[in-house]
Amino acid sequence: MSGIHDCDTVFAKLHDFIDKELSEVEILQVEEHLRLCPPCAVEYRFEASVLRYMRGGFCQMPVPADLESRCLKALADEEA
């Protein structure tokens, strides 16, 4: 399969690959590269695990009741 062969290109597409925002052809090309390139496969697993943690972990954190008002006040103070 032709297409994505270099590590820099794969690295630049990893987040879109993880988020399934690539075309079917690009997905196949990245998958092929990851099968053939152990360093990129390691990086992919790391990036995917970080994104999974961030997506899942922050949803379970308690948010202070006054967070929105404090943020809005901080933004207003910054504009003044």
Side-chain angles (χ1 to χ4, degrees):
M1 176 181 294
S2 63
I4 301 170
H5 295 291
D6 66 281
C7 297
D8 290 337
T9 302
V10 169
F11 185 77
K13 293 181 178 286
L14 273 184
H15 286 207
D16 290 336
F17 176 75
I18 292 166
D19 292 336
K20 297 176 177 54
E21 294 178 354
L22 298 176
S23 70
E24 289 182 35
V25 170
E26 289 174 308
I27 289 171
L28 292 173
Q29 291 171 340
V30 171
E31 287 174 344
E32 177 185 34
H33 183 88
L34 294 175
R35 277 193 302 275
L36 300 172
C37 181
C40 283
V42 168
E43 184 64 29
Y44 161 71
R45 286 191 298 275
F46 172 75
E47 293 286 333
S49 70
V50 168
L51 289 174
R52 273 193 306 275
Y53 173 76
M54 290 177 66
R55 288 178 183 147
F58 290 121
C59 294
Q60 298 172 358
M61 293 176 65
V63 178
D66 65 337
L67 179 63
E68 182 179 11
S69 62
R70 289 187 350 219
C71 289
L72 291 172
K73 181 183 179 323
L75 289 171
D77 292 346
E78 194 173 283
E79 290 177 357

